[in-house]
Amino acid sequence: MLENLYTTKMSMDKEKLQARFAKIQAEPGRRAKGVGVLVFALLLAVMAGTSACIAIGTAEDCAMTDQEFSAYISQPIGAVMADLDYADENILVLHYGDGFFVLDQETRTIRHAVDLSKLNITTQPQGDVTLEVTVDKAGSHAYLSALGPREEIKSYDDYVIDLDSGHVKKGLMPADTEVFRGYGDTFAAIPDGTGWYSSRCITAGDRTYYLSAQASHVGSMELVTLHHDGSPAQRWYLFGEASIIPEEDIPDLYDKAVEYMAQEYHRVYDPYYDIQDLTLSAWKQNGKEATFFYTMTYLHYNRDPDKVAYIQEAKKGDRESYESLYKDYLALKQGNYEFKVVWNGETLELYYENSVKGPESWWGPITVDDFIAS
């Protein structure tokens, strides 16, 4: 309705709207002038509200669902341990993998759990492109951005998370922001730390905080609080005791999958290709099952392309096509696949996304033999 009011479109920018309503106000009669002022004020208010809704997401938009949270705390801790982003006597802020959390120190509960995979931002802790999280000194906002070569990070967005409400919006950290800098080196500050602990600790007031894990999965991570007066350290599980799944219920799927896939690929493909490398990546585990990408890098055993039938045929025709096929045949090649494994208590069961066995199941049971044409 407002879009067509007085044939003035809301999609106009502020300057055009001002010009449009100046014309309305210039028309004869007090009524026209009054209507122009009223409608212009109304439209600016609507535009401001619309802009805010577009720019700011709600906590629910980016929040982890119960299912996502369950999968998150069940996954193994990777090569890099989580680190704290902020801590004081009231809240704790940390990120790890796809999770960004604000926790309540007093109640020891999660205030906000943001799923970073729902944002256009990298979550990598290492490599050429990494995620940087900066919290202001007041502990009110966190600023997320990608670090790396300009060309590689230009496709990512920057975000601001309100630590009180959990709301997320796109935006940059203001230049005059006073940032939190209470970080220290855990290995130097706590030489007798137990378990696997974070490399970064935080000192705030008369306390020092760091993260520790006694087991291999994310749900086992604890906050350790050291009191400078010498009183006993306090420890509590970040995600609640319910998240501590007994280790025997989470088989070491990653090692089993690495061994199983290597054995199967060599068994099936060795007669056909000279395998140079097998890589398992993007590992995501949920209890007794996990999804991952698998890449085989290989060469043809025959290093003389002219002995290959289709290249012999190409040689009889166009020279450019022949040379292209010749080079391609000698080049290092890759085959990429997405799999899921399930541990049934005795062996691994393998599934393939969009299985070649048919469309009846998105994850269809498969063996590596099925990829060889009969």
Side-chain angles (χ1 to χ4, degrees), residues 85-130:
D85 298 310
Y86 178 87
D88 62 24
E89 61 182 8
N90 298 312
I91 66 169
L92 180 74
V93 180
L94 70 124
H95 73 280
Y96 184 71
D98 290 341
F100 177 95
F101 300 93
V102 181
L103 297 100
D104 192 298
Q105 289 267 45
E106 182 178 355
T107 62
R108 298 184 176 181
T109 56
I110 298 173
R111 289 188 185 180
H112 308 295
V114 178
D115 186 345
L116 297 180
S117 69
K118 298 175 182 178
L119 307 180
N120 181 34
I121 190 73
T122 181
T123 60
Q124 295 300 316
Q126 290 184 324
D128 293 336
V129 177
T130 59

Side-chain angles (χ1 to χ4, degrees), residues 99-218:
F100 177 95
F101 300 93
V102 181
L103 297 100
D104 192 298
Q105 289 267 45
E106 182 178 355
T107 62
R108 298 184 176 181
T109 56
I110 298 173
R111 289 188 185 180
H112 308 295
V114 178
D115 186 345
L116 297 180
S117 69
K118 298 175 182 178
L119 307 180
N120 181 34
I121 190 73
T122 181
T123 60
Q124 295 300 316
Q126 290 184 324
D128 293 336
V129 177
T130 59
L131 172 63
E132 180 180 55
V133 176
T134 303
V135 178
D136 60 19
K137 188 175 181 180
S140 60
H141 294 86
Y143 303 92
L144 281 61
S145 60
L147 289 181
R150 184 184 299 272
E151 287 301 309
E152 294 186 38
I153 67 173
K154 66 181 182 181
S155 62
Y156 293 114
D157 293 315
D158 297 288
Y159 292 90
V160 181
I161 300 179
D162 186 312
L163 301 180
D164 183 44
S165 67
H167 288 180
V168 181
K169 66 178 180 181
K170 293 180 183 179
L172 297 170
M173 181 173 68
D176 60 351
T177 299
E178 191 173 0
V179 302
F180 177 75
R181 300 188 184 280
Y183 307 114
D185 182 353
T186 308
F187 301 100
I190 306 104
D192 58 346
T194 59
W196 182 11
Y197 50 96
S198 54
S199 59
R200 186 166 71 182
C201 63
I202 288 178
T203 297
D206 61 350
R207 301 173 185 178
T208 296
Y209 307 92
Y210 69 96
L211 301 178
S212 176
Q214 303 295 325
S216 62
H217 55 285
V218 172

Side-chain angles (χ1 to χ4, degrees), residues 222-243:
E222 302 172 279
L223 174 71
V224 182
T225 304
L226 301 179
H227 299 272
H228 298 178
D229 61 6
S231 55
Q234 293 178 311
R235 310 177 73 99
W236 55 276
Y237 291 115
L238 296 175
F239 306 117
E241 292 190 22
S243 68

Side-chain angles (χ1 to χ4, degrees), residues 302 304-309 311-312:
N302 173 29
D304 184 358
D306 283 330
K307 293 182 179 180
V308 179
I311 294 180
Q312 290 173 350

